[in-house]
Amino acid sequence: MTNSILIVDDNPENLKVLSGILKKEGYKLRYATSGEQALTSIKESLPDLILLDIMMPDMDGYETCLKIKQMHEANDVPVVFLSALSETVSKVRAFEAGGVDFVEKPFHSVEVLARIKTHLALSKAKRKQEENAKRLADAEKVSNMGTYSWNVETNKMTYSNRLIEVFELEESHVTQDNIFDTCLKFIHEEDLQKVDLHLKNVRESSEPWVLEFRIITRLGNLKYIFASGSKGQLMGEKKNNWVTGIIQDVTKFKQNEEVIKLMVDLTDNFTEEESIERAYEYVLQRICRFMGWSIGHVFLYDNSDDQFSSADIWYLQDPGAYKNFKHNHAKVTFSESDLPGVITRSETFVGEGSFFDIEKKSKNDLRSLRLKGVYALPIKVNKKVVAILEFFAHQIMVNDDSVLNLLNEVGTRLGSILKQKLLYNEIRENEAIQERMITSASYPIVIVNRNSEIVKINKRFTELFDYEINEILGQRIDVIIPRRHHHNHGTHTSSYHKSPKIRNMGIGMELSALKKDGTEFPVEISLTPLSHSEGTVMASIYDISSRKKAEEELKESHDRLRLAVESGKLGVWDWDIKKGTFVWDDSMYFLYDIPKKNHDQPFVSFHKLLHPNIYLEDIEKVNKAMKAALGFDDVLDITFRVAKSNGKLMFVAAKGRVKFNGKGEPIRMIGVNIDLTGEIEIKQALEKSNKELESFAYIASHDLQEPLRVITSYLQIIEDKYTNGLEERGVYLMKRIVGASNRMKTLINDLLAYSRIDRRGSNFEKADLNVLINDVLTDSEVLINENKAEIEVGELCTVFCDPGQMRQVFMNLLNNGIKYQKPHELPRVKISCKIRDNNIAEIIFEDNGVGIKPEFFDRIFEIFQRLHTQEEYGGTGLGLAITKKIVERHQGSIKVESKYGEGSKFIVALPLTLVNEENNENN
Ligand code: ADP
């Protein structure tokens, strides 16, 4: 770039000469012939150098120079004086006016050129240096960076302003001599050691270095500092004692980084920590460490009294020192109205401006601990404050909105995590309740997923369906549904998933379920959707078998009743005792063949209608029974006779039940009358024919005994004396005749025994059945031995009986047990005794014989009924008939239980105390 030079001279000759010299060198020239002209030219455009003559009219060179120097923009333009004045005074004045050089006239062109060149170069260098300095200052400002030079021996330090700004110091606080030590005092105590060690290294080595540390500024703010430096020597000094470098405030940058870390740590820990106390503890500790605060504490909202109470959750930087404070703070409570509801801070805690009353209470503690700052952070769930974190610090709390915003953000985050936790806990609790309900339910429950697979069942389910848990889980629900319903179930399931709600399944349909063994049973099922997203549905299954059975039984009994009513053999009546009305159902009129005259008046008197017709002898009986029913018995059960309108006799059974009110008074009686005439007539006829049969049997067997005796004795003679003379066939026929007559003898004896049971029975007495059975066993010794029978007799009891007849019963049952044996098996008979209902002795004969088919269970007790031929097993078919008759004479009963082909069990039930016992004993 060409430099421009302004030549100021009133002598045109001089201008010409100078112009000649300078033009050759390529400078751009401007001219002025007076001081005035020069100033105007400079104002128009700044030259790089001015050549100024001293001796000029009006305004001389000195004055012109002074004026140029006063022009701010031209201040730096070098002015070289040209003058014929050669005295020193003139030269001094020129320099005082601001000139940089003085060239005496007449001048030598080479000298002038050399001087001009030098001044132009100097001026350029100076400008460059100024620009650099300005740039550095700007850079310091922008980068929060201060520069320094530090003498490691004397600790003297030169520094830029920015450096003292970083420490929040005032210029007046420091000098070059004390700034180093002053700055050291602000270093964060946790970083002190690190910095010390570093300084020691710096003093010893010459390597360039960098270091990061924290400071708490004069105003109490935490700052992160980046420092660098390298050792060298300053001009004029020999030793490498000077460390030159920068100090940069990287707090913003660091804080962002730390804030992110803090947030992540807090949220992570708060989410994952299961114990809420530990979660808060971590938050307190983390925030205190981050902020450099000393105490952190939590107040928790207590639903029961709508108060915030001091929780035993603390962070104490120095537990020993803060022990008292903790103690005094332990029981503090306050309500939400005490809360400002936003983050509150107090910079001047000791004095005015505490944020709760409680803090006032702790004022003394705080003062003695020299805690100055207090800070509260509310944690809100659904706009409701659930906890307050309070902090105390030694320094005044930060006044930086970004920190407050940060903590506010922490509060919000923790609140939303807490909300999620509460929600999660609620879900977990609900799940637990559901689980308990399912397990403890008294009915089976099954949960299926969208694919109709069983995902859960309860114990009742396994019990009812007879599955093990493991074999049913994962199976399709179809396993418990009868095959014929599978298709329908599929379509119903998909439509249910479209709009799942609680409802009963298959309304109006008969549902049934399938047990593991394939048995079906009727059920009712109610469905509850559990999770919409997973499509799980809970089915509660109610086994309604017994209800169905009861319903059916009820229906059957209704049907029976209806049949009975329709058959005309049964009449229904209803007596309102309080009102004195006796209502007859139509069936009653029909039963007694009495016309229902007044249909409009259903209330008719029992006495009027029926009483006159009752047989005189029975009236007393009826009245007595009615009285008893209305008194203590509460049931009526009698039979009486009635003369029907056609004069015929009718047997009637009346059965009824009385209802009583709270005072024990009878208020209503409902009953039925049953026409028993047919049954009683049949029974009477049967009894008559039995009696006749018995008499016949008795007479016949008695009278047959005599001729039979004659036949058998003659047969004996023939057998003894004449058999030898008979041919083989004759001997065979003889044997058959003897056999037949023996059988006839047995038959007649049996028949006689049968007909004598009632006739010739002896007295009842107390008899030990153990003795009786022993007699029987002794008598049957031959039979037992022949058949190699094994007889096991348990402890029997004592009963009232006719011992002779009872022996007969035992003999028959034992003999049958041995006789009806399977071909290749040895007979085994077990005799035992059981007491039932306190009053019934059951004597049981159990064998391992051929057994009896169920359809013959009744028939075998009838007279002459046999299930086998004589060839298979001999017998008369009277044994069990005799047995039954004897047992019935003892007011007992006999029955058989048997599995065909496996054995039989005859059970004789005898009352331990007989009705009319004394009579029997005396008879
Ligand atoms: P019988 O004189 O024929 O033995 P019972 O009256 O004693 O006459 O028995 C009637 C029928 O009952 C027998 O013919 C026999 O078929 C059957 N019976 C009786 N006791 C037994 C038993 N313990 N095991 C199998 N069948 C029996």
Side-chain angles (χ1 to χ4, degrees):
M1 198 189 85
T2 39
N3 290 303
S4 72
I5 296 173
L6 173 67
I7 308 167
V8 190
D9 206 326
D10 57 338
N11 183 344
E13 215 35 54
N14 284 344
L15 286 178
K16 207 173 165 186
V17 175
L18 278 170
S19 144
I21 299 166
L22 296 173
K23 251 194 185 144
K24 270 192 218 148
E25 292 299 316
Y27 293 114
K28 229 163 111 191
L29 301 176
R30 278 152 51 197
Y31 310 98
T33 50
S34 68
E36 241 8 280
Q37 234 180 42
L39 292 178
T40 317
S41 168
I42 291 167
K43 262 181 210 153
E44 270 166 21
S45 151
L46 270 187
D48 293 314
L49 187 134
I50 302 167
L51 286 173
L52 183 60
D53 184 27
I54 294 177
M55 305 287 286
M56 287 188 297
D58 301 334
M59 198 199 294
D60 65 11
Y62 302 128
E63 205 184 333
T64 309
C65 188
L66 281 170
K67 288 225 161 110
I68 291 171
K69 292 291 153 186
Q70 277 161 10
M71 289 167 72
H72 180 69
E73 62 278 14
N75 186 29
D76 288 340
V77 180
V79 178
V80 177
F81 283 93
L82 295 165
S83 179
L85 306 171
S86 59
E87 310 86 50
T88 313
V89 184
S90 314
K91 288 182 187 165
V92 172
R93 273 194 72 192
F95 284 114
E96 277 172 356
V100 292
D101 208 351
F102 193 98
V103 182
E104 280 177 49
K105 291 181 193 172
F107 47 72
H108 199 278
S109 65
V110 180
E111 187 195 345
V112 171
L113 276 176
R115 291 198 182 200
I116 284 175
K117 262 185 195 156
T118 307
H119 286 299
L120 279 171
L122 271 176
S123 148
K124 196 176 167 191
K126 196 178 158 209
R127 251 203 328 274
K128 209 163 206 152
Q129 193 206 358
E130 276 170 5
E131 268 167 24
N132 278 345
K134 188 169 176 290
R135 212 177 293 131
L136 185 66
D138 287 349
E140 280 189 3
K141 210 169 218 147
V142 170
S143 63
N144 267 340
M145 188 172 81
T147 52
Y148 69 88
S149 291
W150 163 51
N151 187 310
V152 295
E153 261 181 9
T154 61
N155 280 350
K156 190 178 164 152
M157 192 157 124
T158 60
Y159 51 89
S160 66
N161 267 350
R162 214 28 228 156
L163 189 137
I164 54 174
E165 275 169 35
V166 168
F167 282 82
E168 293 178 334
L169 292 166
E170 305 272 324
E171 267 178 76
S172 58
H173 293 145
V174 284
T175 64
Q176 291 192 348
D177 292 323
N178 70 7
I179 185 162
F180 182 79
D181 291 324
T182 310
C183 287
L184 275 189
K185 282 191 204 131
F186 293 110
I187 288 174
H188 195 290
E189 58 181 354
E190 285 175 23
D191 291 347
L192 259 180
Q193 220 182 348
K194 173 167 101 176
V195 174
D196 269 352
L197 198 76
H198 179 78
L199 292 179
K200 200 167 156 249
N201 286 340
V202 169
R203 285 191 172 98
E204 284 161 11
S205 106
S206 316
E207 293 295 308
W209 51 264
V210 293
L211 176 69
E212 265 186 42
F213 55 93
R214 288 165 295 171
I215 58 168
I216 305 283
T217 65
R218 186 182 64 93
L219 297 179
N221 293 318
L222 174 86
K223 285 190 179 178
Y224 288 84
I225 303 298
F226 173 86
S228 71
S230 67
K231 231 192 232 173
Q233 67 205 87
L234 276 200
M235 257 198 294
E237 293 199 18
K238 290 198 181 93
K239 275 200 196 160
N240 278 351
N241 270 347
W242 287 91
V243 173
T244 306
I246 58 151
I247 274 188
Q248 193 175 4
D249 176 1
V250 290
T251 312
K252 280 262 142 47
F253 176 72
K254 267 284 169 189
Q255 258 174 0
N256 280 344
E257 205 176 80
E258 293 286 308
V259 162
I260 291 168
K261 201 162 165 311
L262 176 80
M263 274 295 180
V264 171
D265 283 358
L266 288 180
T267 10
D268 279 3
N269 189 278
F270 208 68
T271 314
E272 273 155 36
E273 178 57 66
E274 274 176 30
S275 138
I276 189 74
E277 285 82 11
R278 279 206 296 276
Y280 276 128
E281 237 162 53
Y282 181 81
V283 171
L284 296 178
Q285 186 206 68
R286 191 70 175 73
I287 292 182
C288 280
R289 293 228 169 122
F290 183 80
M291 300 300 292
W293 296 343
S294 312
I295 298 180
H297 177 224
V298 176
F299 283 93
L300 290 177
Y301 177 69
D302 186 348
N303 250 332
S304 61
D305 55 6
D306 198 25
Q307 294 253 310
F308 291 90
S309 317
S310 165
D312 191 18
I313 306 173
W314 293 85
Y315 167 75
L316 302 175
Q317 192 187 36
D318 179 352
Y322 303 139
K323 209 168 72 197
N324 264 350
F325 178 77
K326 184 177 168 183
H327 176 75
N328 293 343
H329 228 60
K331 288 207 178 71
V332 184
T333 55
F334 56 94
S335 69
E336 194 163 355
S337 57
D338 297 327
L339 269 183
V342 288
I343 295 175
T344 318
R345 65 195 129 133
S346 163
E347 289 168 15
T348 51
F349 173 71
V350 182
E352 298 310 308
S354 59
F355 75 94
F356 311 134
D357 274 347
I358 52 141
E359 307 308 345
K360 284 182 190 155
K361 284 178 205 147
S362 325
K363 205 149 96 178
N364 286 337
D365 284 326
L366 294 171
R367 190 177 283 139
S368 67
L369 291 168
R370 281 192 285 171
L371 289 162
K372 281 193 194 153
V374 62
Y375 192 94
L377 173 62
I379 296 192
K380 293 183 187 176
V381 173
N382 295 337
K383 299 206 175 122
K384 176 129 190 69
V385 180
V386 295
I388 296 162
L389 311 185
E390 61 165 353
F391 299 96
F392 301 91
H394 283 285
Q395 75 274 13
I396 292 169
M397 289 284 181
V398 220
N399 205 1
D400 182 346
D401 275 346
S402 69
V403 177
L404 298 188
N405 289 342
L406 157 71
L407 289 178
N408 221 344
E409 177 69 19
V410 168
T412 316
R413 289 263 182 109
L414 298 190
S416 68
I417 295 170
L418 217 51
K419 187 173 157 184
Q420 275 172 16
K421 276 194 171 190
L422 290 175
L423 218 67
Y424 180 68
N425 281 351
E426 214 169 283
I427 292 172
R428 279 242 298 251
E429 236 164 67
N430 282 344
E431 276 175 358
I433 292 173
Q434 195 184 64
E435 177 76 33
R436 275 204 300 280
M437 275 170 58
I438 291 174
T439 346
S440 62
S442 58
Y443 45 84
I445 288 178
V446 55
I447 298 176
V448 294
N449 63 15
R450 196 185 296 283
N451 304 329
S452 295
E453 286 155 354
I454 298 174
V455 293
K456 194 180 192 87
I457 48 167
N458 66 352
K459 190 151 171 280
R460 267 306 284 144
F461 184 96
T462 56
E463 287 167 358
L464 185 67
F465 286 87
D466 206 18
Y467 277 105
E468 297 290 326
I469 288 197
N470 289 340
E471 56 184 348
I472 188 90
L473 283 187
Q475 295 235 43
R476 288 182 57 81
I477 192 71
D478 291 355
V479 291
I480 63 157
I481 300 173
R483 188 166 284 282
R484 63 181 185 285
H485 293 316
H486 280 191
H487 177 68
N488 272 348
H489 185 257
T491 34
H492 287 151
T493 308
S494 40
S495 77
Y496 183 79
H497 280 306
K498 278 178 199 142
S499 73
K501 53 178 183 276
I502 299 178
R503 67 168 176 79
N504 285 335
M505 190 173 153
I507 299 157
M509 272 167 55
E510 300 256 310
L511 298 176
S512 46
L514 212 56
K515 291 189 187 185
K516 187 182 171 188
D517 65 5
T519 347
E520 265 187 41
F521 61 101
V523 288
E524 256 173 31
I525 296 175
S526 85
L527 301 175
T528 312
L530 289 185
S531 151
H532 188 70
S533 55
E534 287 164 35
T536 41
V537 178
M538 176 172 90
S540 309
I541 302 171
Y542 308 98
D543 176 1
I544 54 167
S545 309
S546 38
R547 198 182 78 199
K548 274 261 159 180
K549 199 168 157 225
E551 278 171 11
E552 263 159 32
E553 274 172 7
L554 193 68
K555 191 172 167 285
E556 269 172 28
S557 95
H558 271 151
D559 287 351
R560 273 201 300 274
L561 190 69
R562 212 186 56 239
L563 267 176
V565 169
E566 280 169 3
S567 72
K569 297 251 179 196
L570 187 127
V572 183
W573 47 264
D574 188 347
W575 180 21
D576 190 326
I577 301 166
K578 280 266 139 155
K579 280 190 201 150
T581 52
F582 205 98
V583 182
W584 270 22
D585 185 71
D586 285 354
S587 54
M588 282 288 275
Y589 294 95
F590 191 74
L591 181 76
Y592 290 112
D593 203 11
I594 296 172
K596 188 178 175 184
K597 282 193 191 125
N598 192 348
H599 286 274
D600 300 329
Q601 195 195 348
F603 302 106
V604 280
S605 157
F606 162 72
H607 281 269
K608 221 160 101 193
L609 280 172
L610 191 61
H611 227 252
N613 298 1
I614 297 181
Y615 264 56
L616 266 182
E617 306 100 277
D618 290 354
I619 286 184
E620 182 66 10
K621 189 168 140 191
V622 170
N623 286 341
K624 216 171 140 188
M626 285 297 254
K627 236 185 176 162
L630 296 175
F632 304 105
D633 286 1
D634 83 3
V635 285
L636 174 76
D637 189 0
I638 46 157
T639 48
F640 55 89
R641 289 163 300 166
V642 174
K644 280 177 87 171
S645 54
N646 58 9
K648 276 194 176 167
L649 171 77
M650 179 176 170
F651 286 91
V652 178
K655 290 175 191 291
R657 191 169 283 278
V658 186
K659 279 191 171 177
F660 295 89
N661 64 12
K663 292 183 217 156
E665 298 162 346
I667 49 168
R668 194 176 174 193
M669 186 174 184
I670 302 169
V672 291
N673 285 13
I674 307 157
D675 178 0
L676 289 182
T677 317
E679 283 80 354
I680 287 181
E681 277 173 358
I682 291 168
K683 200 174 153 209
Q684 281 176 344
L686 197 70
E687 271 170 11
K688 192 168 162 238
S689 97
N690 272 349
K691 280 251 150 47
E692 284 167 3
L693 183 74
E694 259 172 47
S695 323
F696 168 75
Y698 177 69
I699 293 163
S701 50
H702 187 267
D703 290 358
L704 280 172
Q705 263 185 326
E706 186 48 33
L708 186 65
R709 232 190 327 263
V710 175
I711 292 172
T712 42
S713 38
Y714 285 140
L715 269 175
Q716 193 67 50
I717 296 168
I718 295 173
E719 206 180 14
D720 290 349
K721 291 196 174 168
Y722 304 106
T723 324
N724 286 343
L726 284 178
E727 312 172 2
E728 202 177 320
R729 177 132 182 95
V731 175
Y732 168 75
L733 289 175
M734 227 7 245
K735 263 203 181 125
R736 297 292 300 261
I737 294 168
V738 172
S741 68
N742 278 341
R743 264 208 318 282
M744 193 167 181
K745 199 169 133 195
T746 326
L747 188 63
I748 286 169
N749 282 341
D750 281 356
L751 212 50
L752 212 53
Y754 181 79
S755 54
R756 273 179 181 158
I757 290 169
D758 288 331
R759 229 176 267 265
R760 291 255 194 102
S762 53
N763 287 345
F764 277 50
E765 59 185 61
K766 228 177 193 162
D768 183 352
L769 298 184
N770 293 299
V771 176
L772 274 187
I773 196 75
N774 269 337
D775 291 352
V776 171
L777 289 178
T778 315
D779 290 352
S780 311
E781 217 169 69
V782 179
L783 182 75
I784 293 171
N785 290 340
E786 270 177 4
N787 287 281
K788 296 201 172 79
E790 186 187 304
I791 316 292
E792 182 190 332
V793 187
E795 180 70 22
L796 306 186
C797 59
T798 301
V799 294
F800 270 101
C801 67
D802 176 335
Q805 287 189 344
M806 203 44 70
R807 194 177 291 124
Q808 178 76 49
V809 167
F810 286 4
M811 183 73 102
N812 288 349
L813 293 176
L814 177 72
N815 283 358
N816 280 353
I818 298 173
K819 183 162 75 177
Y820 293 103
Q821 193 43 248
K822 282 175 275 188
H824 304 294
E825 229 169 288
L826 290 180
R828 236 182 317 114
V829 181
K830 188 176 156 193
I831 304 156
S832 57
C833 172
K834 224 163 57 182
I835 304 297
R836 167 160 66 79
D837 302 337
N838 276 331
N839 190 34
I840 311 274
E842 282 187 346
I843 298 114
I844 302 152
F845 284 73
E846 199 175 347
D847 64 53
N848 61 337
V850 290
I852 303 158
K853 289 181 182 163
E855 58 264 36
F856 302 127
F857 281 0
D858 286 333
R859 226 169 88 186
I860 53 171
F861 294 104
E862 284 170 24
I863 191 162
F864 297 128
Q865 289 297 335
R866 308 203 64 238
L867 305 179
H868 301 95
T869 60
Q870 284 303 330
E871 281 72 33
E872 287 171 323
Y873 299 99
T876 59
L878 270 161
L880 287 178
I882 292 170
T883 304
K884 184 168 187 243
K885 208 167 170 205
I886 295 175
V887 170
E888 279 171 356
R889 188 177 166 240
H890 284 72
Q891 295 170 16
S893 63
I894 180 165
K895 65 172 180 181
V896 65
E897 289 170 6
S898 174
K899 251 196 180 159
Y900 188 61
E902 285 182 22
S904 316
K905 198 171 172 182
F906 285 82
I907 301 155
V908 177
L910 294 172
L912 285 172
T913 45
L914 297 177
V915 182
N916 285 336
E917 212 169 77
E918 287 154 68
N919 290 351
N920 284 322
E921 247 180 314
N922 298 338
N923 279 348

